[in-house]
Amino acid sequence: MGRKIFMNGKFVDEQQAKVSVFDHCLLYGDGVFEGIRLYQGCVFRLNDHIERLYSSAKYIMLKIPMTPKAMIEAVCETVRRNGLRDGYIRLVVTRGVGPLGLAPWQCKNPTVFIIADKITLYPAEFYEKGLSIVTVPTRRNHVESVNPRVKSCNYLNNILAKIEASIAGALEALMLDHNGFVNECTGDNVFLVKKGVLITPPIYLGALRGITREVVMEIAREERIEVREQPFTRFDVFDADELFLTGTAAEVIPVVNVDKRPIGTGKPGAITKRLIRQFRARTATDGVMVYQ
Ligand code: PXG
């Protein structure tokens, strides 16, 4: 039995879940999406993801043909139909089918689809030993070009960076803005620890307002760790005591080497490990229960 996909209000077999070659999401990357995690039958921070989806859609003037409430229910029902307890949910809203040519107003019906599936994580060893990453030449999109706060279906900026990291033999890329300030990675936000203070770039510099980022900042405040959102450069990264990344796919993952400079002791730091433990503890409690 294959996966059941939510497609414009109906559930269809995965073989029937198709979009047209005239969909502007395929032709131009014109659409928005969310990547969401399911832990022990609980959709992690579902309301936050749905809120961000509608904010992304508003930015690109895409009217989602469902209410947020109906979208939440559609996500939960997709999980139920696939009998999943742990996994990854991909929710996509495309501009829809239209004639060739950029004009989005020619596309009358956005396509909404939801996939609930398994997720492959970074191998467990990286959570214990930490990642080695590199800074890449491709800069994050300028905030006045395509604001990185929109989770759009055009990820070429990040994909180029990912290719550059891979050429350099690294799994992730540290991305800077046009001024040389550190922004984020290709699919994760970045944090450093210096003298016990947790620092992450402010969103206005040009990064996605990551939901894992928000959760980690909440945990840190509860743990009485000082948190600052402030711009920093590669110098601060090399000079940090600890570094880690946050994202729905990666969760919280330590970074121990950047551009061949060991970070701190070269091993995952104490604050990072504490935050990883606390993050894992709340994954199954901080969301919407699918099976009542
Ligand atoms: N920055 C960027 C550019 C991202 O794409 C994050 C930060 C972290 O945000 P969250 O809300 O996840 O903490 C992301 C998230 C995928 C996939 O399928 C991508 C993301 C998340 C989940 C799945 O490639 N990106």
Side-chain angles (χ1 to χ4, degrees):
M1 204 185 73
R3 284 166 286 234
K4 296 280 181 205
I5 313 292
F6 176 94
M7 190 96 203
N8 296 324
K10 296 197 181 76
F11 286 92
V12 299
D13 292 334
E14 62 178 272
Q15 291 80 4
Q16 269 73 58
K18 296 194 172 121
V19 290
S20 163
V21 292
F22 290 99
D23 193 305
H24 280 210
C25 194
L26 181 60
L27 289 171
Y28 302 112
D30 188 353
V32 291
F33 78 101
E34 279 297 323
I36 311 169
R37 281 285 280 257
L38 174 74
Y39 294 100
Q40 297 173 48
C42 188
V43 186
F44 190 59
R45 293 284 177 130
L46 179 56
N47 294 320
D48 295 345
H49 281 283
I50 298 300
E51 232 176 70
R52 187 170 69 183
L53 177 77
Y54 281 76
S55 302
S56 292
K58 186 169 190 183
Y59 176 73
I60 67 162
M61 299 186 85
L62 170 61
K63 176 124 184 45
I64 299 178
M66 288 167 72
T67 62
K69 196 162 169 271
M71 193 65 89
I72 287 168
E73 185 42 40
V75 168
C76 293
E77 188 57 22
T78 309
V79 170
R80 283 192 285 266
R81 297 259 180 149
N82 287 279
L84 277 174
R85 291 197 70 79
D86 292 277
Y88 172 55
I89 300 154
R90 165 57 72 98
L91 166 45
V92 183
V93 185
T94 79
R95 186 71 70 176
V97 170
L100 296 176
L102 291 178
W105 49 87
Q106 302 268 34
C107 308
K108 302 298 179 204
N109 299 304
T111 301
V112 180
F113 63 86
I114 307 170
I115 306 167
D117 201 355
K118 292 282 178 200
I119 186 164
T120 29
L121 298 170
Y122 280 123
E125 58 174 292
F126 290 113
Y127 291 85
E128 280 133 43
K129 289 197 201 138
L131 282 176
S132 293
I133 66 171
V134 291
T135 313
V136 293
T138 294
R139 299 297 168 110
R140 196 76 178 95
N141 283 334
H142 192 289
V143 283
E144 294 298 333
S145 166
V146 179
N147 194 313
R149 282 182 70 174
V150 59
K151 204 160 165 62
S152 88
C153 292
N154 191 322
Y155 254 52
L156 276 177
N157 183 224
N158 319 50
I159 288 165
L160 282 172
K162 192 94 182 170
I163 291 170
E164 288 160 353
S166 162
I167 289 169
L171 286 178
E172 248 306 357
L174 190 65
M175 298 186 78
L176 311 179
D177 71 4
H178 60 286
N179 286 316
F181 288 114
V182 171
N183 273 28
E184 60 177 337
C185 292
T186 65
D188 311 288
N189 292 108
V190 61
F191 284 83
L192 66 76
V193 178
K194 184 71 183 174
K195 295 190 192 305
V197 180
L198 194 57
I199 307 174
T200 193
I203 294 305
Y204 65 75
L205 276 192
L208 186 76
R209 186 184 288 283
I211 284 155
T212 322
R213 174 185 181 274
E214 301 284 316
V215 175
V216 163
M217 289 199 294
E218 276 173 36
I219 294 172
R221 290 191 181 109
E222 285 166 25
E223 295 277 302
R224 306 208 179 282
I225 297 167
E226 188 184 336
V227 184
R228 290 190 205 141
E229 292 178 73
Q230 95 190 9
F232 57 82
T233 64
R234 285 171 75 229
F235 191 103
D236 303 297
V237 168
F238 302 150
D239 206 33
D241 299 326
E242 302 182 28
L243 196 80
F244 63 85
L245 312 180
T246 64
T248 294
E251 301 180 319
V252 183
I253 190 160
V255 176
V256 292
N257 194 293
V258 181
D259 300 336
K260 302 283 182 220
R261 278 89 158 175
I263 304 301
T265 60
K267 297 209 171 82
I271 291 184
T272 305
K273 285 198 214 155
R274 200 161 122 205
L275 292 170
I276 291 174
R277 259 197 321 275
Q278 297 285 353
F279 178 80
R280 288 189 178 151
R282 71 172 63 191
T283 48
T285 54
D286 227 13
V288 173
M289 299 244 300
V290 173
Y291 306 97
Q292 297 293 350

